[in-house]
Amino acid sequence: MKTLSVLGSTGAIGVQALDVARLHGMKIIALAARSDVNKLAEQVEEFRPRYACIFNEEKAEELYKKIAGTGTEILTGMDGLCKAASLDSADLILNGVVGTVGLRPTLAAIEAGKDLALANKEALVSGGEIVIEAVKRKGISLYPVDSEHSAIFQCLQGSRKEDLKKILLTASGGPFFGKKLEEMKDVTVDQALAHPTWKMGKKITVDSATLMNKGLEFIEAMRLFGVTADKIEIVIHRESVIHSAVEFNDGAVIAQLGVPDMRIPIQYALTYPERLESPTKPLSLADYGKLTFYKPDFTQFPCITSALRAAEYGGAAPAIVSGADEVAVELFLDKKIPFTAIGDAVSSALENIHTSSFQSAEDAIEAVEAAHEYVKELYGKGKLSW
Ligand code: MG
């Protein structure tokens, strides 16, 4: 069994990854969380890792008190997170951190030559080719954890890259499928957090409601599978049973199906190429009866329109939309701006922020930070209010 370092261990992905680790007796060398000291302390108690990292340094003292006597060493802040991402004794790093804060530890893991199970799509979207070039240069394995990308990865097993014609990226459509932009003005936080098929963290659930998530996943697929935008087609599939598919040159289409439970793609990333027993329930197609598909209509969802435009622009544009979205979603979750202002913030950031070069990780981080500042300023000027 592999020895794992789990970044974002108290979030939705981290908790489910630890379910998988528990079931298969995987060793945990490090756990890292943003600020949930209580949950992290419980995990330390159970898994007895060598290191526990708390990103929010103000919480370190509290963690120290809670886990005194376990022998686990405490790490803090970005330095601690990057150390947890690059430990000699880890076979695989699971990055389940939320947001572009996950970019530095992603690069730290790659530079240390560590194989990476990546759930943190914002890192790949904002880091773009910089991340992929580092992966190639260091020769590490990058396993997708996102359900769609895991599906595509699974569908491509045993096939030749030159035979791939198209990727069919499925989308549930989120809770506001079929609604007009007008009707979404008064959407509440609770409504946006009620996803029809998946149980996920707050940021990604709001991103699923605005369809930003699918835009980020579109860019993620371009990076992971080295394809251009014209080779990816988004298909609305309400039941989230088909997690994505690939079409080959001969017209054959291979899809991956399963119940909507993240522990399947997480486990495949952790145990690849083995397929072990899973803690999830089996898929019963007959219980579903029918699966439905629709052509997407993105005219009412400005977030995905901006993300797809950013995919075309390339360079810093994906980092800008991802960074702008992150601050706008936070403002929405704090009930400071309406739901539809998320799209306004993202498209305004994309059109108005100009960056000169995009060569290094620092450039990517700068672009993200510029987008953060831009959206905070828009909010400060009252331009995102009701
Ligand atoms: Mg996904």
Side-chain angles (χ1 to χ4, degrees), residues 121 146-149 198 200 204 213-214 217 220 262:
K121 67 190 80 182
D146 211 341
S147 63
E148 294 80 357
H149 306 76
W198 291 98
M200 307 175 288
I204 183 171
N213 185 52
K214 207 50 58 180
E217 289 184 352
E220 187 185 7
M262 281 309 293

Side-chain angles (χ1 to χ4, degrees), residues 242-310:
I242 293 181
H243 298 304
S244 277
V246 299
E247 183 184 334
F248 292 104
N249 289 331
D250 59 0
V253 175
I254 295 184
Q256 187 260 335
L257 287 75
V259 289
D261 187 317
M262 281 309 293
R263 289 173 298 182
I264 296 175
I266 290 170
Q267 179 170 297
Y268 193 60
L270 299 186
T271 64
Y272 177 86
E274 287 182 73
R275 289 192 182 270
L276 307 179
E277 218 177 297
S278 161
T280 62
K281 64 173 192 183
L283 171 66
S284 165
L285 282 173
D287 282 353
Y288 276 93
K290 65 177 177 190
L291 300 177
T292 56
F293 305 91
Y294 304 88
K295 275 208 173 101
D297 169 15
F298 296 144
T299 53
Q300 306 303 311
F301 293 90
C303 277
I304 189 165
T305 318
S306 294
L308 296 179
R309 202 174 301 146

Side-chain angles (χ1 to χ4, degrees), residues 174-212:
F176 309 127
F177 172 70
K179 286 230 186 310
K180 297 263 173 267
L181 195 56
E182 267 296 304
E183 302 171 81
M184 288 184 261
K185 280 216 162 70
D186 299 320
V187 157
T188 64
V189 169
D190 286 344
Q191 285 169 330
L193 289 179
H195 195 274
T197 49
W198 291 98
K199 281 194 178 64
M200 307 175 288
K202 282 185 185 176
K203 199 260 178 184
I204 183 171
T205 306
V206 174
D207 279 348
S208 298
T210 61
L211 298 193
M212 184 63 178

Side-chain angles (χ1 to χ4, degrees), residues 122-367:
E122 294 92 341
L124 201 51
V125 168
S126 57
E129 285 304 317
I130 295 157
V131 172
I132 295 303
E133 272 162 26
V135 166
K136 286 182 186 153
R137 178 163 45 79
K138 299 300 286 191
I140 65 130
S141 297
L142 181 60
Y143 303 114
V145 171
D146 211 341
S147 63
E148 294 80 357
H149 306 76
S150 173
I152 297 160
F153 178 63
Q154 293 180 57
C155 294
L156 289 173
Q157 293 301 308
S159 65
R160 305 183 310 164
K161 190 164 184 242
E162 59 268 36
D163 294 333
L164 175 66
K165 187 174 180 190
K166 198 162 68 178
I167 287 171
L168 300 168
L169 184 68
T170 53
S172 74
F176 309 127
F177 172 70
K179 286 230 186 310
K180 297 263 173 267
L181 195 56
E182 267 296 304
E183 302 171 81
M184 288 184 261
K185 280 216 162 70
D186 299 320
V187 157
T188 64
V189 169
D190 286 344
Q191 285 169 330
L193 289 179
H195 195 274
T197 49
W198 291 98
K199 281 194 178 64
M200 307 175 288
K202 282 185 185 176
K203 199 260 178 184
I204 183 171
T205 306
V206 174
D207 279 348
S208 298
T210 61
L211 298 193
M212 184 63 178
N213 185 52
K214 207 50 58 180
L216 297 176
E217 289 184 352
F218 188 95
I219 301 170
E220 187 185 7
M222 288 171 69
R223 301 284 176 254
L224 281 172
F225 304 107
V227 297
T228 45
D230 58 312
K231 295 232 171 183
I232 306 174
E233 182 185 332
I234 298 174
V235 183
I236 303 289
H237 165 47
R238 294 294 285 159
E239 295 82 8
S240 304
V241 167
I242 293 181
H243 298 304
S244 277
V246 299
E247 183 184 334
F248 292 104
N249 289 331
D250 59 0
V253 175
I254 295 184
Q256 187 260 335
L257 287 75
V259 289
D261 187 317
M262 281 309 293
R263 289 173 298 182
I264 296 175
I266 290 170
Q267 179 170 297
Y268 193 60
L270 299 186
T271 64
Y272 177 86
E274 287 182 73
R275 289 192 182 270
L276 307 179
E277 218 177 297
S278 161
T280 62
K281 64 173 192 183
L283 171 66
S284 165
L285 282 173
D287 282 353
Y288 276 93
K290 65 177 177 190
L291 300 177
T292 56
F293 305 91
Y294 304 88
K295 275 208 173 101
D297 169 15
F298 296 144
T299 53
Q300 306 303 311
F301 293 90
C303 277
I304 189 165
T305 318
S306 294
L308 296 179
R309 202 174 301 146
E312 249 170 66
Y313 293 170
I320 290 168
V321 292
S322 175
D325 174 65
E326 164 162 276
V327 173
V329 168
E330 220 169 283
L331 288 168
F332 168 70
L333 285 171
D334 289 344
K335 301 183 178 167
K336 289 176 174 163
I337 63 171
F339 180 75
T340 46
I342 302 171
D344 297 340
V346 170
S347 44
S348 177
L350 178 64
E351 298 315 323
N352 293 306
I353 299 174
H354 302 285
T355 56
S356 46
S357 81
F358 195 76
Q359 309 289 331
S360 65
E362 291 315 309
D363 291 343
I365 288 162
E366 248 175 57

